[in-house]
Amino acid sequence: EDQVTQSPEALRLQEGESSSLNCSYTVSGLRGLFWYRQDPGKGPEFLFTLYSAGEEKEKERLKATLTKKESFLHITAPKPEDSATYLCAVPSGNTPLVFGKGTRLSVIA
Amino acid sequence: DGGITQSPKYLFRKEGQNVTLSCEQNLNHDAMYWYRQDPGQGLRLIYYSQIVNDFQKGDIAEGYSVSREKKESFPLTVTSAQKNPTAFYLCASSQGRVEETQYFGPGTRLLVL
């Protein structure tokens, strides 16, 4: 069964303390890996799509990278406004996205 | 201003009652989706539709029903058969194929009285 596993479940950082979130997946023939940001009580907001190993995408303090087995979301010098839950997802067979449980990020000023 | 709207923001259900959650999009997307999110859990797929008048069950379709009579609209009914309906419900849409980017609405929180 295709699976998406995110780690850690929760991460607490000081403002300016860089770190990485992990998303590992087991699917046959990756057709894209998606990262979303979700604020409490709101719908997920699309961040990135990665399609092939070695691909990287950046947006402000966030950079997503992809290997054949996992993706990392690197957060450089985070600010309190980066606090959110970050979700990753992959398509599985003929069905839509399978989501991981997310990493809950807290950035403390 | 294109996007996805969900209403209401909060919904209360009494025992034995069916309730319907609204989802509308003006993105001209072909595909629409319904997910359920419980605390500490990822999103779980309830139903999805890739074209008008057609839809498929997701992983947790029992106790739910949908219709897709118009491209812009994909309402979800939570029936009395759903014994644990309290959750955050999210609607999404994408251009067409299942591997394309999904864009989400703001969500509806359903509570049982």
Side-chain angles (χ1 to χ4, degrees), chain B residues 76-102:
Chain B
L76 173 74
T77 296
V78 183
T79 74
S80 57
Q82 173 49 245
K83 298 306 179 188
N84 184 23
T86 297
F88 190 48
Y89 291 86
L90 289 159
C91 177
S93 70
S94 69
Q95 285 191 323
R97 295 177 302 165
V98 294
E99 62 264 31
E100 291 175 348
T101 302
Q102 293 181 22

Side-chain angles (χ1 to χ4, degrees), chain B residues 4-9 22-24 34 89-91 104-108:
Chain B
I4 301 172
T5 57
Q6 291 186 243
S7 62
K9 188 177 174 93
S22 169
C23 178
E24 304 276 334
W34 274 105
Y89 291 86
L90 289 159
C91 177
F104 285 82
T108 292

Side-chain angles (χ1 to χ4, degrees), chain A:
Chain A
E1 180 181 319
D2 294 336
Q3 285 196 341
V4 179
T5 304
Q6 292 189 246
S7 62
E9 288 185 17
L11 181 62
R12 186 181 172 99
L13 300 173
Q14 292 292 320
E15 184 173 4
E17 180 186 1
S18 301
S19 188
S20 297
L21 283 55
N22 177 264
C23 172
S24 63
Y25 59 90
T26 55
V27 301
S28 307
L30 184 68
R31 291 172 291 134
L33 184 140
F34 298 78
W35 281 101
Y36 289 85
R37 169 192 170 128
Q38 186 177 25
D39 292 305
K42 296 190 176 181
E45 175 191 349
F46 170 69
L47 293 173
F48 307 108
T49 309
L50 303 167
Y51 288 102
S52 57
E55 188 175 1
E56 299 183 353
K57 289 192 176 175
E58 289 188 64
K59 180 179 181 180
E60 297 182 355
R61 294 175 292 282
L62 300 176
K63 183 169 78 172
T65 62
L66 181 65
T67 72
K68 288 185 178 180
K69 295 293 183 185
E70 58 192 349
S71 177
F72 292 94
L73 186 63
H74 307 277
I75 303 176
T76 303
K79 298 182 177 182
E81 52 262 43
D82 294 321
S83 298
T85 295
Y86 291 86
L87 301 167
C88 73
V90 297
S92 173
N94 291 323
T95 58
L97 300 180
V98 174
F99 282 82
K101 294 184 178 181
T103 293
R104 191 170 63 255
L105 175 66
S106 300
V107 181
I108 311 303

